[in-house]
Amino acid sequence: MVEFLQFTLSGIVFGMIYAAIALSLVLIWRGTRLLNFAQGGMAMFTTYVAIEVIYKTHSYWAGFVVALLAGLVLGAACELTVIRPTVGKPQLNAVIVTIGLLIFLEGLAGILFGGQFRSFPAAFSIIGLRVGGTPIGVSRFDVFVVVAVLVTTLVLAVAFRYTAAGLRMRAAAFNATIARLSGIRVARVLTVGWALAGLLGALAGVLVSPSTFLYPNSMDAIFVYGFTAAVIGGLDSPVGAVVGGLILGVVLSYAGGYVGGSVGSDLTSLVALGILVAVLMLRPEGLFGGARMRRV
Amino acid sequence: MNRSKRHLWQATAIATVAALGVAACSSSSSSSSSASSSSSSNAALTASAPGITPTTITIGSHQPLTGPAAPGYDEIAPASTAYFDYVNANGGIYGRKIIYKYLNDAYDPTTTASVVRQLVLQDNVYSIFNGLGTPTHLAVVSFLNSEKVPDVFVASGCECWNAPSTYPETFGWQLDYVSEGKILGQYVAQHFKGEKVAYFYQDDEFGMDGVKGLNYEIPASQVVSKQSYVDTNVNIAPQVAALRASGAKVVVAFSIPAFTALLKLDSLKLGFNPTLVVSDVGSDPITLSGLLESFAKQAGATVNGNQLTNGIITDGYLPSVGDTSNSWVALFTKVHNQYDAKEPLDGNFLYGMSVAYTFVQAMLKAGRNPTRADLTNAIQGGLPQGPMVAPFAYSSSNHLGVTGAYIGTIQNGVLVQQGSVLTTDTSATGPVTTFTGTEEQAPASGIPSP
Amino acid sequence: MRTLPRRLAVAIIVAAIVVFLSIKLNAFRDYQIAEIAVDVTAVAGLTVLTGLSGQISLGNGAFMAIGAYVTALLLLHLSWPFYAVLVVAAAATAVAGAAVGVAAARLRGPYLAGATLMLGVALPAIAYAWPATFGGDQGLNVVFTTPAFLGANFPLTRWQAWVSVAVALVTLILLANLQHSRIGRNWRAVRDDEVAAALDGINVAAARIRAFVVSATSAGLAGALLAIITGLVAPGAFTITLSIALLTAAVIGGLGSLAGALWGSLVIVLVPTYVTDVATSHGLSSSVGSNIPVAAYGVLLILVMLVFPQGIQGGLQRLFSLFAGPDQKPRTWRTAPTPHITPSADQAPASQHEKEGTS
């Protein structure tokens, strides 16, 4: 029973990291109908910026804030420089451009910061919390991870729904031509969307790097699972991103824990594939993607 | 951009690429044949083999310089280069300078196959030196042996390099994982009699060979749990939970440094505090402290990552970096400061320097105008220990490298030797014995004598 | 290429050029010719799948792995001749392709991308799960030698180049035939407008599955070739990086174009080595020097995509039409027009509204 709790809780924590990446992918998908393969790379880069700030100022929170700001800037910069020219061109071109961007960022990080493992601090204690003397498998930092992602999601959801800026973004995503006709600066809206996605990615990077250590390829695996979570939940749905992340994190945790040490760890990706196939068989556009009528 | 401007860019781009393509694809010469070697000590230097000219010796390697396997391992080749630079500046090998050309394979066997063919077929290297990685090197070992290219001092502890009949050109160097498992296993069996022991190992040949060695020495009844991990999945919380649930007092870890650190961190989270016995591969104190330093404060330690590594038991077949009184450490520190000062002076660095030293010893023994066969014969005739704490196994029937190591504990970020050096072999019944010979001292000039 | 005789003629000319080059150039260049042929075989199948039938796949590396492992196992346990092994590897991968095609039949756009991405990541893990059969991390050795009739001194790399190029040319001819057949026309119809194609009587699901089978078979043949030229089949060779490289090659070369498969393969094989040579010759420190080629490659991908939105083949065709004059009809259908893989923001609103507004 204790193990079940431990697996569930640690699964939720990883699930929230996947959810953060999934959310950033959903943001970009909704706004620009693009798959941003560089999301993990951007998160890694902003985390490097954060670690440099932390070294210089000895303040974790300074680094945390700078990472988020750097995420905003990097997201906007990428959209303006390399993504904007791909609008109106074949969709896959933008995918290849983001792949090129990912490779470039990984190389640049290696050049600027070196290829060594870097230790990234956790915001709070990593000693496991106990309930009645038994460790339950999460620490104060893990609780912070969950809370941070949830709060950011809620803030974004509220901003989308209740602010004028959010309305503009939803309008531009719904139909760019009509939005333009209504006077919305669609191009600027797209840039803001990428900036926010960059911020979410930066948050994910800072939250997960204590567990993965920081090196140029550290976010690659996290990106794959984040993308899977977004697909499971439906790429049009922020709620889906969070739900998809949680499902993926928890089920993978059970698979690793209950199927046994050797077999479980090998089959993590196979289990993820299984979940994905199961969900997509039933709902080809993800859990919250909305059914599309195809029959003729 | 508008159409005509883009057409101009396209035309320019195509023309540039075409020109570059023609320039790059010019055919190069095929490999030259070797001349006979000369044995008199004052003979003129000749081009006695592919890769050897009167003034240079060119050797090649494949290393993971980028990609997920790069952190840590990408320090080794620059360290070897630093030692070769030192030797080149002090007379070289019989007056020849060593040119070390190592190419990046990003730990992908397909890329390894390609870069090694480039080194052998196009760059005509004399020998492949210190090729890194088991799956990567397995992709090229048949090719190198069929081309009769010396394949010396492979950077992997797999037993598979010890195959003198099928792979006569291939030689190991570092302590193989089975022998290491036996040495650590004997220590655990002797010092933790009757205690519950668990294994935590990487799910590849490194971890599995280590477990094989451990099982030869630790009674099966003592082992209560065996948990493996893959290096692509950092969430090892389930494995650590299983280790804790098993009640093990000792955890023997055949893990790379990142996962040793994660094991420590996840154990803290679960309030699990066993004695950690870690393979040399994953226990470099400087690397571990670096990985753990950010967490030391939150883990209740007062100062730095060293606190979290205190008490880790491991083994070592090279001198400890922290043992400043050791003559080898002094020599390599001097070379480090002169030739590669930007890189950290840690276990990987010491490894790179030491294997380069062994190579220089082998080349000196191969003679003034060596053929490729001269190098392999020189190694098979046996090599002096150099910086290793135990002898090499090299003979015509054994191509494995060093045969033993000492047990040590990490204290304040430094590996401290406990007891004597132990030697063994890879067989199930071969005993683990105390090494009674003496370790060598570094030569005053820093260069081995011929 | 409009007709079969013309295609065969071109293939024979190309084969003759390759034989000539393989003798003139050194052994390493022969190996690179073989590597390029392997990639052309795989990328050609992928460009047909993605460019002609409009289904994105990020998992063709997994099909290459299947072809490679089948080859290794057959050569190891049964010692069959290579042509027989090739046929079985192709058949096995075709079956796998059909299975994936069936599972993916209802998936579109990014959902298909995500599913195939996870396939590409997960399939090699099977090698770790059953190490006794598949060799685990160390993989399986493959022994491939020159046949006796060529004599003892025939360089192995040249033979490998000949075999690989032969398989690549056969694959290209078959794919070109498909491209110009009714099957190919059905694929393009399904890609451009599924509903109209279904109304026209085309079995959309069958066409899509057929495309997956063809693409997987090409990848399986490429995997078999990879096994014999490298000599080792291990999971480390079939990571997601491979699948992404294949897609990159297909798009950069010119999506939907078989010639584009060649350009793209040249890029992914030759550019990294060239850039590495340039970087190492400047003697930079290790982490800087080894990462510069990585960063440069990324920049190159971005630039090529921005300067040549139709891929290299598209760019060459425009160049040709520039010189040939405006009265030459541009054959734009061969490089895929904007495939409706992901509907743009203008054309398809968010899916909630799709529910309300469709017929």
Side-chain angles (χ1 to χ4, degrees):
Chain A
M1 185 54 210
V2 170
E3 281 187 347
F4 175 76
L5 190 62
Q6 288 171 346
F7 295 154
T8 312
L9 291 177
S10 77
I12 289 178
V13 173
F14 265 97
M16 288 317 249
I17 305 285
Y18 302 148
I21 294 286
L23 273 171
S24 58
L25 290 172
V26 165
L27 253 180
I28 289 183
W29 175 258
R30 280 180 68 133
T32 56
R33 279 296 186 264
L34 291 177
L35 288 176
N36 180 14
F37 274 85
Q39 197 64 61
M42 288 161 63
M44 170 273 298
F45 201 83
T46 52
T47 313
Y48 264 111
V49 172
I51 194 79
E52 294 291 329
V53 168
I54 294 177
Y55 273 3
K56 298 270 165 42
T57 64
H58 298 291
S59 158
Y60 175 85
W61 295 108
F64 185 85
V65 168
V66 168
L68 298 184
L69 290 175
L72 286 172
V73 169
L74 186 61
C78 289
E79 199 275 332
L80 286 170
T81 50
V82 294
I83 303 297
R84 186 66 63 83
T86 66
V87 169
K89 302 289 188 311
Q91 230 76 42
L92 274 180
N93 287 17
V95 167
I96 302 299
V97 166
T98 59
I99 289 174
L101 186 60
L102 170 69
I103 295 173
F104 171 67
L105 285 173
E106 288 179 347
L108 187 64
I111 293 171
L112 293 178
F113 307 112
Q116 303 316 308
F117 279 120
R118 299 278 281 266
S119 175
F120 195 89
F124 298 100
S125 163
I126 52 161
I127 308 260
L129 297 172
R130 288 167 185 263
V131 169
T134 328
I136 54 172
V138 288
S139 62
R140 269 195 220 118
F141 177 65
D142 290 332
V143 174
F144 171 68
V145 168
V146 174
V147 167
V149 176
L150 280 177
V151 164
T152 316
T153 313
L154 280 171
V155 165
L156 281 176
V158 163
F160 265 99
R161 189 155 270 269
Y162 296 111
T163 65
L167 182 59
R168 282 198 286 273
M169 287 195 72
R170 283 188 291 136
F174 171 55
N175 192 314
T177 315
I178 296 183
R180 260 188 219 106
L181 289 172
S182 315
I184 295 175
R185 306 266 286 276
V186 171
R188 180 176 296 180
V189 163
L190 299 188
T191 312
V192 169
W194 270 74
L196 287 176
L199 179 136
L200 277 169
L203 179 69
V206 164
L207 294 177
V208 84
S209 290
S211 305
T212 63
F213 305 114
L214 184 59
Y215 57 100
N217 293 82
S218 58
M219 292 296 287
D220 284 356
I222 306 288
F223 169 78
V224 169
Y225 287 117
F227 184 25
T228 308
V231 169
I232 289 175
L235 271 163
D236 277 302
S237 163
V239 170
V242 177
V243 170
L246 284 173
I247 292 178
L248 195 63
V250 168
V251 174
L252 290 183
S253 187
Y254 292 149
Y258 285 123
V259 188
S262 157
V263 180
S265 64
D266 279 333
L267 297 184
T268 306
S269 51
L270 284 167
V271 169
L273 179 64
I275 302 173
L276 195 53
V277 169
V279 168
L280 291 177
M281 287 289 99
L282 296 171
R283 298 184 63 90
E285 302 234 328
L287 289 172
F288 294 85
R292 294 176 76 161
M293 296 295 108
R294 286 243 152 240
R295 292 266 153 68
V296 174
Chain B
M1 54 176 77
N2 61 41
R3 274 184 140 205
S4 54
K5 204 167 165 194
R6 194 176 341 111
H7 287 166
L8 186 60
W9 270 105
Q10 290 174 352
T12 318
I14 293 178
T16 318
V17 169
L20 286 174
V22 168
C25 285
S26 57
S27 57
S28 11
S29 61
S30 53
S31 57
S32 54
S33 58
S34 60
S36 58
S37 65
S38 166
S39 51
S40 88
S41 58
N42 287 321
L45 298 177
T46 61
S48 51
I52 301 218
T53 71
T55 49
T56 59
I57 301 170
T58 309
I59 55 176
S61 184
H62 62 86
Q63 302 280 325
L65 301 176
T66 59
Y73 294 135
D74 62 351
E75 297 171 40
I76 294 177
S80 299
T81 308
Y83 185 70
F84 290 144
D85 288 343
Y86 176 77
V87 170
N88 289 343
N90 289 291
I93 295 184
Y94 299 122
R96 290 189 180 95
K97 293 201 185 320
I98 305 170
I99 300 175
Y100 182 26
K101 188 165 181 188
Y102 54 95
L103 295 179
N104 182 17
D105 65 0
Y107 216 74
D108 177 349
T110 306
T111 314
T112 314
S114 184
V115 299
V116 167
R117 278 173 179 76
Q118 183 181 342
L119 289 167
V120 170
L121 300 173
Q122 183 171 275
D123 301 330
N124 295 312
V125 296
Y126 173 66
S127 164
I128 293 293
F129 164 73
N130 206 224
L132 197 145
T134 307
T136 44
H137 201 73
L138 280 173
V140 294
V141 65
S142 303
F143 169 72
L144 289 173
N145 279 275
S146 67
E147 296 283 318
K148 300 207 174 13
V149 177
D151 174 22
V152 302
F153 311 142
V154 180
S156 141
C158 178
E159 298 182 82
C160 38
W161 317 125
N162 184 18
S165 45
T166 29
Y167 299 139
E169 309 283 338
T170 304
F171 295 86
W173 181 80
Q174 63 190 71
L175 182 64
D176 68 274
Y177 305 132
V178 177
S179 299
E180 189 184 15
K182 286 173 66 178
I183 290 175
L184 289 174
Q186 190 210 47
Y187 183 85
V188 169
Q190 285 178 346
H191 289 80
F192 297 97
K193 267 200 180 51
E195 303 261 22
K196 292 187 184 170
V197 174
Y199 299 157
F200 177 70
Y201 63 100
Q202 185 157 300
D203 193 29
D204 66 0
E205 146 281 335
F206 154 56
M208 297 199 284
D209 274 0
V211 165
K212 194 162 121 183
L214 289 172
N215 283 336
Y216 289 156
E217 296 290 326
I218 301 180
S221 53
Q222 266 187 270
V223 182
V224 294
S225 180
K226 296 182 189 173
Q227 300 295 319
S228 74
Y229 72 89
V230 286
D231 60 0
T232 45
N233 182 7
V234 289
N235 183 11
I236 57 167
Q239 287 93 321
V240 180
L243 289 173
R244 181 178 178 277
S246 73
K249 286 279 180 292
V250 179
V251 171
V252 186
F254 266 83
S255 53
I256 54 177
F259 282 83
T260 313
L262 285 174
L263 174 66
K264 188 75 195 171
L265 291 173
D266 282 359
S267 303
L268 279 174
K269 195 185 287 194
L270 287 179
F272 178 46
N273 199 13
T275 307
L276 268 187
V277 178
V278 183
S279 153
D280 167 81
V281 171
S283 70
D284 176 48
I286 297 174
T287 309
L288 279 183
S289 293
L291 289 171
L292 293 169
E293 65 183 5
S294 297
F295 305 100
K297 232 168 63 173
Q298 280 109 11
T302 45
V303 183
N304 52 24
N306 290 346
Q307 309 290 350
L308 289 175
T309 58
N310 275 346
I312 290 181
I313 300 169
T314 180
D315 65 285
Y317 52 86
L318 289 171
S320 157
V321 176
D323 183 7
T324 42
S325 63
N326 184 291
S327 60
W328 296 102
V329 174
L331 165 65
F332 292 147
T333 309
K334 183 175 100 171
V335 177
H336 168 268
N337 296 340
Q338 216 178 334
Y339 290 98
D340 200 14
K342 284 179 304 213
E343 303 291 332
L345 182 55
D346 60 8
N348 283 320
F349 192 87
L350 208 67
Y351 179 103
M353 294 232 128
S354 303
V355 68
Y357 186 90
T358 307
F359 182 74
V360 171
Q361 285 185 307
M363 284 305 299
L364 287 171
K365 194 173 169 201
R368 283 180 67 84
N369 287 306
T371 60
R372 279 171 164 167
D374 285 336
L375 177 60
T376 49
N377 288 334
I379 302 173
Q380 284 189 153
L383 288 178
Q385 264 172 247
M388 314 297 254
V389 302
F392 289 116
Y394 301 131
S395 72
S396 51
S397 56
N398 190 331
H399 282 199
L400 280 184
V402 70
T403 50
Y406 57 82
I407 299 284
T409 22
I410 301 183
Q411 288 163 12
N412 291 323
V414 169
L415 180 60
V416 176
Q417 182 169 342
Q418 314 285 331
S420 335
V421 173
L422 305 162
T423 57
T424 184
D425 60 14
T426 57
S427 69
T429 49
V432 179
T433 52
T434 313
F435 174 58
T436 49
T438 46
E439 294 172 32
E440 289 185 12
Q441 295 295 311
S445 64
I447 301 180
S449 39
Chain C
M1 291 295 117
R2 288 291 165 121
T3 59
L4 182 57
R6 237 204 253 179
R7 281 173 223 143
L8 284 174
V10 170
I12 291 173
I13 294 174
V14 169
I17 294 177
V18 166
V19 169
F20 174 71
L21 283 178
S22 71
I23 296 173
K24 272 286 159 195
L25 297 175
N26 69 30
F28 176 59
R29 298 293 180 204
D30 286 350
Y31 187 77
Q32 285 189 309
I33 289 174
E35 284 187 300
I36 293 169
V38 168
D39 284 335
V40 168
T41 312
V43 173
L46 181 60
T47 207
V48 162
L49 177 71
T50 306
L52 287 191
S53 83
Q55 303 180 80
I56 182 173
S57 168
L58 286 167
N60 271 34
F63 296 127
M64 282 184 74
I66 294 176
Y69 270 99
V70 168
T71 304
L73 287 168
L74 283 176
L75 288 175
L76 199 62
H77 295 295
L78 294 178
S79 310
W80 282 4
F82 185 59
Y83 57 83
V85 171
L86 262 184
V87 169
V88 176
T93 345
V95 169
V100 172
V102 166
R106 291 204 297 160
L107 302 181
R108 300 290 179 276
Y111 303 97
L112 183 57
T116 51
L117 177 75
M118 203 29 115
L119 178 72
V121 170
L123 205 73
I126 293 181
Y128 288 108
W130 284 276
T133 331
F134 297 110
D137 189 53
Q138 295 178 271
L140 299 170
N141 272 317
V142 175
V143 177
F144 184 71
T145 49
T146 52
F149 69 83
L150 286 170
N153 287 326
F154 198 83
L156 180 62
T157 47
R158 194 181 303 159
W159 176 239
Q160 289 170 334
W162 287 8
V163 170
S164 311
V165 172
V167 173
L169 286 174
V170 168
T171 309
L172 287 174
I173 291 176
L174 292 175
L175 287 176
N177 285 349
L178 276 175
Q179 221 182 6
H180 289 81
S181 69
R182 188 190 316 151
I183 295 178
R185 284 196 291 277
N186 286 353
W187 283 337
R188 288 193 291 280
V190 165
R191 173 197 71 197
D192 291 340
D193 193 328
E194 265 190 53
V195 175
L199 281 172
D200 206 35
I202 297 174
N203 186 336
V204 170
R208 290 169 61 94
I209 295 171
R210 208 174 282 135
F212 251 101
V213 169
V214 167
S215 169
T217 313
S218 308
L221 286 172
L225 290 174
L226 189 67
I228 60 152
I229 70 170
T230 56
L232 180 79
V233 176
F238 300 103
T239 59
I240 195 63
T241 312
L242 175 63
S243 295
I244 290 184
L246 293 179
L247 184 69
T248 304
V251 177
I252 288 218
L255 199 59
S257 149
L258 294 179
L262 176 62
W263 311 137
S265 302
L266 285 172
V267 168
I268 61 175
V269 170
L270 295 178
V271 169
T273 24
Y274 182 69
V275 182
T276 308
D277 284 346
V278 170
T280 48
S281 63
H282 284 80
L284 296 154
S285 95
S286 178
S287 68
V288 174
S290 48
N291 277 297
I292 286 182
V294 176
Y297 185 66
V299 170
L300 189 86
L301 289 184
I302 296 175
L303 284 179
V304 171
M305 257 6 290
L306 295 183
V307 172
F308 295 106
Q310 302 291 342
I312 294 176
Q313 176 67 7
L316 287 176
Q317 280 183 339
R318 281 193 199 269
L319 212 64
F320 175 71
S321 68
L322 265 183
F323 290 128
D327 44 4
Q328 267 282 355
K329 211 166 128 192
R331 297 186 183 162
T332 49
W333 62 259
R334 197 154 316 114
T335 57
T338 57
H340 288 225
I341 294 166
T342 55
S344 75
D346 275 329
Q347 291 168 5
S351 38
Q352 290 96 303
H353 292 269
E354 185 96 358
K355 220 170 23 186
E356 296 158 30
T358 44
S359 53

